[in-house]
Every structure is written in C-alpha cells, then in structure tokens.
Amino acid sequence: MDSEDIPDFSSLKEETAYWKELSLKYKQSFQEARDELVEFQEGSRELEAELEAQLVQAACSGSCWALPSPGTLRDINTGYFLFSP
C-alpha cells in the first residue's frame, strides 16, 4: 500500500474507523483463502486415496503387469532404430 492510497483524515475517529474497516476486509480475505486451502487439501487427499486404490486394484488384477507380445516388442525396436539419431 502506497502512502498515496491512504486518504487524509479529518479526525482520529475517522482514521481509526478507516483502519478498522481495512483490517476487517483483510481478515475476511484471509479466512476465505484459508477455507479454500483446506478444501483443496481435502480434495487432494481424497484424489490421492482414490488413485492409490486404483493402483492397488490394477496391480492385484495383473492387467498392468502383462508382458507385451513379441510382435509389439519388435515394432517398438524397429521404431526406435528408425528414429534414433
């Protein structure tokens, strides 16, 4: 906040009211930001738990650990050699 933004006050009471109102505004802004942060953190924890459950389920089913077929490996190696420097 620049000194240019601070208005001139005609009395101490007016200045006190100004600073009190400004502090309440900042306090409200802080509380809203804190609430949003807590909500974000809760959502992140839920998402992490969901992704971890999916990972465990995929590992248990063995679908993600299946070996590629020999033809797939040959195609991958061919592509690698064609495009490698």
Side-chain angles (χ1 to χ4, degrees):
M1 175 179 281
D2 296 333
S3 60
E4 299 170 359
D5 297 339
I6 301 172
D8 292 328
F9 303 105
S10 59
S11 69
L12 182 59
K13 186 176 181 179
E14 184 182 327
E15 184 175 2
T16 304
Y18 171 82
W19 290 112
K20 184 176 181 179
E21 182 181 332
L22 190 61
S23 70
L24 291 173
K25 180 178 132 182
Y26 284 125
K27 182 179 179 181
Q28 177 69 27
S29 178
F30 165 75
Q31 289 172 339
E32 290 172 2
R34 183 178 54 192
D35 292 344
E36 288 179 17
L37 174 62
V38 168
E39 185 178 327
F40 174 79
Q41 289 174 328
E42 289 172 356
S44 293
R45 281 191 288 273
E46 291 172 4
L47 180 59
E48 182 181 12
E50 182 181 328
L51 291 173
E52 192 145 329
Q54 289 177 2
L55 180 62
V56 168
Q57 183 180 10
C60 290
S61 68
S63 63
C64 65
W65 304 111
L67 295 173
S69 67
T72 304
L73 288 175
R74 186 176 51 249
D75 294 342
I76 292 170
N77 286 332
T78 302
Y80 174 76
F81 288 116
L82 289 174
F83 295 106
S84 64

